């Protein structure tokens, strides 16, 4: 059996170092996050978004907030997102971003999911809030958060969200999204990052 790891004796010096690290982490979270260290609510151009919690210490994890208006009813948007997640089971749909695996969860909002990365190493959380607007449109407020300490995400958190509501008009590098039940367009997309997360539709459509 492997030897158990021993813990060093705590001293005043160790406690001082820990205190300094906590102070630095708290300060850095305020610098990295436009909306502060809190992960519960965030703002994109004055719109308050509900975000899933992250288990990363001090909230120092990647994430992305997306706001867009779908030219469809909220019931159609919700049905399409459900269809894509359910479609993984029978092969009618797969996540084009490295074949991740979505699961429906109860984090709040109108719809929420978790997504396991294609390599099975990381799980992120997503939360979607759908609000009816004029002319039969639907505002999508979405937020995805990584669950481990991270500074860069190579577009993953944006893809986590976008791949559940993108339409056939969303294309990059000759590849396009493939809706199942409702193929709608979106307009006025706004994004805001946590840490140094990025937005790249081409990365989302790898498979």
């Amino acid at each position: 059996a492997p030897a158990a790891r021993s813990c060093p004796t705590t001293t005043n010096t160790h406690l001082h170092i820990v205190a300094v690290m906590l102070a630095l982490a708290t300060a850095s979270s305020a610098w990295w996050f436009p909306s502060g260290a809190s992960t519960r609510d965030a703002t994109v151009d004055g719109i308050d978004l509900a975000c899933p919690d992250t288990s990363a210490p001090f909230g120092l994890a990647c994430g992305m907030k997306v706001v867009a208006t779908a030219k469809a009813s909220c019931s159609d948007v919700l049905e399409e997102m459900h269809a894509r997640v359910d479609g993984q089971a029978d092969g009618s749909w797969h996540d084009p971003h490295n074949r991740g695996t979505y699961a429906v969860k109860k984090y709040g909002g109108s719809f929420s999911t978790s997504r396991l990365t294609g390599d099975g190493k990381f799980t992120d959380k997503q939360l979607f809030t759908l609000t009816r607007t004029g002319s039969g449109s639907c505002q999508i407020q979405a937020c995805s958060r990584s669950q481990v300490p991270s500074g860069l995400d190579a577009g993953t958190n944006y893809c986590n969200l976008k791949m559940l509501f993108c339409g056939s008009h969303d294309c990059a590098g000759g590849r396009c999204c493939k809706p199942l039940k409702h193929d709608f367009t979106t307009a006025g997309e706004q994004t805001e990052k946590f840490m140094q997360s990025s937005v790249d539709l081409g990365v989302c459509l790898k498979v």
Side-chain angles (χ1 to χ4, degrees):
R5 294 182 61 184
S6 60
C7 297
T9 303
T10 302
T11 65
N12 288 336
T13 300
H14 290 123
L15 292 174
H16 177 71
I17 292 173
V18 170
V20 171
M21 290 176 67
L22 288 172
L24 289 173
T26 302
S28 65
S29 69
W31 183 79
W32 283 101
F33 287 102
S35 54
S38 174
T39 64
R40 176 59 66 184
D41 297 293
T43 303
V44 175
D45 282 1
I47 301 173
D48 290 331
L49 281 82
C51 283
D53 290 328
T54 175
S55 55
F58 313 108
L60 295 176
C62 288
M64 185 63 65
K65 296 163 271 179
V66 177
V67 174
T69 299
K71 295 182 180 180
S73 67
C74 288
S75 60
D76 283 355
V77 174
L78 183 59
E79 185 176 23
E80 179 62 24
M81 291 194 293
H82 268 292
R84 295 186 193 187
V85 176
D86 294 343
Q88 298 170 118
D90 62 11
S92 59
W93 185 85
H94 70 267
D95 176 18
H97 181 224
N98 298 319
R99 291 187 178 273
T101 303
Y102 287 91
V104 175
K105 298 294 182 179
K106 295 181 179 180
Y107 302 139
S110 307
F111 184 63
S112 57
T113 57
S114 65
R115 178 185 176 273
L116 178 66
T117 53
D119 59 11
K121 292 182 179 180
F122 303 104
T123 299
D124 304 324
K125 294 180 179 180
Q126 300 81 45
L127 192 155
F128 300 83
T129 301
L130 307 179
T131 305
R132 180 182 178 182
T133 61
S135 303
S137 296
C138 181
Q139 184 184 69
I140 303 170
Q141 299 178 20
C143 186
S144 176
R145 294 306 311 273
S146 298
Q147 297 301 301
V148 296
S150 49
L152 300 169
D153 73 349
T156 293
N157 281 282
Y158 176 74
C159 298
N160 289 346
L161 303 171
K162 187 74 172 180
M163 293 302 94
L164 287 185
F165 65 83
C166 57
S168 61
H169 65 288
D170 290 303
C171 304
R175 300 183 180 92
C176 301
C177 287
K178 297 180 179 179
L180 286 182
K181 291 190 174 183
H182 303 285
D183 186 9
F184 47 82
T185 59
T186 56
E189 181 173 288
Q190 303 172 54
T191 62
E192 186 175 323
K193 64 186 178 183
F194 288 88
M195 306 298 280
Q196 293 302 301
S197 299
S198 56
V199 174
D200 186 346
L201 184 60
V203 170
C204 304
L205 299 171
K206 283 186 174 181
V207 180

